[in-house]
Amino acid sequence: MAASGRAIRVKNKTARWLTEAFQPPVVVTVQLLISPLVQDGFPATMAYGALAALFVCVLPLLLLLVLVRLGKVTDHHVSDRRQRLPVLLMALASILAGLLVLTAAGAPASVIAMVLAVVGGVVVLAAVSPFWKMSGHAAAISCSAVVAVLMLGAAWTPLLLLIPAVGWSRVVLRAHTLAQVVAGSLFGGVVMAGIWWLLRLWLVP
C-alpha cells in the first residue's frame, strides 16, 4: 500500500510539473520568440517575437492572475469551463491590440503569421468553451511542437513526444477527459499549425 501511495504521488507530481512547465503562455511565448527564424534578420528580430508575446501571453496572464486574486476565476488554468469564454475574449482583445502594435512597428511577416494562427486557435476555443472543455494545453503544445519541427527540421522530431506527455498530465490531474485532450492535440497540431503554414507561404517572402 505504501509503495502504491508513493507511486501515485510521483505520478501526480510529474503530471503537475508537466502541466505547469508546458502551460500555454509558456509554450506560446517560446513559439513566438522563434517565429522570425524563417526570415532574414534572426536573431535580432526576436525582439518582435518578444513584443508579440507581451500581448499574446504576458498581459493576458497578468490579467488572469488578477482575476484569480479577486476570486473571479478559480485558478490560472481556468478549470471551470463556465469561466473560459470571458477569459478567452479578454485574451483575444489583447492579441488583436498586439497585432495593431506589431503592424505599426513593422514586425516581420513571420511573426504576424504566428500571431494570426494563435488568433484562430483562441477564436475556436472561445466558441467551443461554452459547450465543451477542449484542452488548451494540448492545443498549445501540439501547435508549438509541430511548428517547431516544420521550422527547424526533422532533427527536432523528438519534440513531438511532448504532446502525449502533456496530454497525459491533463488526464491524470482530471482537468480533461481523454477525448478533450485528443481533440485539443488534433486542433493544435493540424488546424493551428496548418493555419500558420498557409499564412507563412502567403505572407513570408
Side-chain angles (χ1 to χ4, degrees), residues 95-156:
I95 296 169
L96 293 176
L99 270 175
L100 293 176
V101 173
L102 288 165
T103 301
S110 53
V111 176
I112 300 296
M114 193 71 79
V115 174
L116 287 173
V118 174
V119 168
V122 172
V123 167
V124 171
L125 284 172
V128 171
S129 287
F131 314 101
W132 201 49
K133 192 182 172 187
M134 186 164 66
S135 175
H137 277 73
I141 193 63
S142 297
C143 177
S144 295
V146 170
V147 166
V149 172
L150 291 173
M151 289 176 63
L152 302 172
W156 292 82

Side-chain angles (χ1 to χ4, degrees), residues 35-36 39-40 45-46 48-49 102 105-114 203-204:
S35 61
Q39 282 187 273
D40 293 338
T45 48
M46 284 181 70
Y48 291 104
L102 288 165
S110 53
V111 176
I112 300 296
M114 193 71 79
L203 296 175
V204 180

Side-chain angles (χ1 to χ4, degrees), residues 28-96:
V28 176
T29 292
V30 175
Q31 183 177 340
L32 289 166
L33 286 173
I34 68 169
S35 61
L37 183 64
V38 296
Q39 282 187 273
D40 293 338
F42 189 86
T45 48
M46 284 181 70
Y48 291 104
L51 180 60
L54 174 66
F55 286 92
V56 175
C57 303
V58 178
L59 291 179
L61 179 59
L62 289 176
L63 290 171
L64 175 58
L65 292 176
V66 170
L67 292 175
V68 172
R69 181 82 175 183
L70 294 174
K72 303 295 184 181
V73 178
T74 53
D75 59 90
H76 65 290
H77 295 305
V78 197
S79 299
D80 188 337
R81 175 177 55 81
R82 295 167 298 180
Q83 299 171 348
R84 287 186 134 203
L85 180 58
V87 170
L88 287 167
L89 291 177
M90 175 189 69
L92 184 60
S94 178
I95 296 169
L96 293 176

